[in-house]
Amino acid sequence: MGRSPCCEKAHTNKGAWTKEEDQRLIAYIRAHGEGCWRSLPKAAGLLRCGKSCRLRWMNYLRPDLKRGNFTDDEDELIIRLHSLLGNKWSLIAGQLPGRTDNEIKNYWNTHIKRKLLARGIDPQTHRPLLSGGDGIAASNKAAPPPPHPISVPAKAAAAAIFAVAKPPPPPRPVDSSDDGCRSSSGTTSTGEPRCPDLNLELSVGPTPSSPPAETPTSARPVCLCYHLGFRGGEACSCQADSKGPHEFRYFRPLEQGQYI
DNA sequence: AACATGTACAACCGCGGGATA
DNA sequence: ATATCCCGCGGTTGTACATGT
């Protein structure tokens, strides 16, 4: 069938944004709120495609963005979240108020990857690298591990995380009786801190030696909600949702000696 | 000072998926 | 059930700036 182009490329600017374009975009969003990115450029008088406007706003112009260097705490949190979620930058960004997925992705590729390699850790698998040879983790040679130590698609993990952790979206800044466009507030677009008090007891460091697919039957899967600090059924509906004792929306095997 | 190389980050591109007609 | 629209995501590219030779 084919997809229609997101914009009329012949009449759109590309490349770096000018100050004037920024001002137009900011002014328009202040007046009308986010959303309807496809029609926004025309309405705002911008010769840009909607995607470009959205990206510019999300990654650079949003007032709640935290500019500046990442702190060591943020570094470690990103590493932990990446070990859990893999390259799900938007989900990781959701746990770092004021940071964008693009920013975190860039930071990962330019700083953290190197930092982990210097520590002798494979940035993709979060497993120790071989001290010599070709630098490939031993476990990689034996059996290719999953890209990260979770056993379900990261999207499912995200569903589990945000089903319990994501606060209801804040009211839109402008009259909600607008043109009928959906709010575009996604995982990274709101100005509210997502879950500032999340207890992220995520697994990190030496991950389970065998991939979850090979989880021994004695290793009981554990709902991620526990690891996020929601315990004893508090706000957690995984058990209720599941049809069986092991069908959590997100789980990971217990490590040796670990209990909940 | 001039050039080469490396680094950081903004922006683009293509695709997947939810919503809806 | 299917087609289409639109948003959002992740990978990649382009470019400005920093550093080394």
Side-chain angles (χ1 to χ4, degrees), chain A residues 21 41 44 47 77 104 134 139-140 156 158 181 183 185 187 192 208 210-211:
Chain A
E21 286 176 315
L47 293 175
L77 181 55
I104 292 170
D134 57 6
S139 56
N140 287 0
C181 290
S183 166
S185 50
T187 53
E192 301 296 320
S210 58

Side-chain angles (χ1 to χ4, degrees), chain A residues 79-86 116 120-129 137-140 143-151 202-212 214-216 250 252-256 258:
Chain A
I79 292 168
R80 283 180 170 216
L81 288 167
H82 186 273
S83 74
L84 178 73
L85 299 167
L116 290 179
I121 296 170
D122 185 321
Q124 276 309 308
T125 63
H126 294 266
R127 296 174 189 216
L129 291 163
S139 56
N140 287 0
H148 47 79
I150 62 176
S151 60
L202 307 173
S203 68
V204 71
T207 54
S209 57
S210 58
E214 301 162 14
T215 300
Y250 175 73
R252 64 162 192 161
L254 282 177
E255 291 169 38
Q256 244 185 347
Q258 187 184 23

Side-chain angles (χ1 to χ4, degrees), chain A residues 167-179:
Chain A
R172 299 191 63 188
V174 295
D175 181 11
S176 60
S177 63
D178 55 15
D179 55 3

Side-chain angles (χ1 to χ4, degrees), chain A residues 154-258:
Chain A
K155 201 147 192 172
I161 292 169
F162 294 110
V164 297
K166 192 175 181 180
R172 299 191 63 188
V174 295
D175 181 11
S176 60
S177 63
D178 55 15
D179 55 3
C181 290
R182 290 174 293 179
S183 166
S184 70
S185 50
T187 53
T188 64
S189 63
T190 68
E192 301 296 320
R194 289 287 150 65
C195 309
D197 298 318
L198 267 185
N199 177 19
L200 284 166
E201 298 172 22
L202 307 173
S203 68
V204 71
T207 54
S209 57
S210 58
E214 301 162 14
T215 300
T217 54
S218 61
R220 198 156 48 97
V222 176
C223 170
L224 177 65
C225 303
Y226 279 103
H227 296 281
L228 291 173
F230 296 98
R231 302 179 185 223
E234 172 196 356
C236 172
S237 58
C238 296
Q239 292 264 25
D241 287 352
S242 60
K243 296 186 173 65
H246 301 297
E247 292 182 26
F248 297 102
R249 280 178 289 174
Y250 175 73
F251 66 86
R252 64 162 192 161
L254 282 177
E255 291 169 38
Q256 244 185 347
Q258 187 184 23

Side-chain angles (χ1 to χ4, degrees), chain A residues 71-91:
Chain A
T71 65
D72 287 344
D73 283 349
E74 285 175 316
D75 271 20
E76 292 305 320
L77 181 55
I78 291 168
I79 292 168
R80 283 180 170 216
L81 288 167
H82 186 273
S83 74
L84 178 73
L85 299 167
N87 294 358
K88 298 296 172 185
W89 306 115
S90 63
L91 298 179

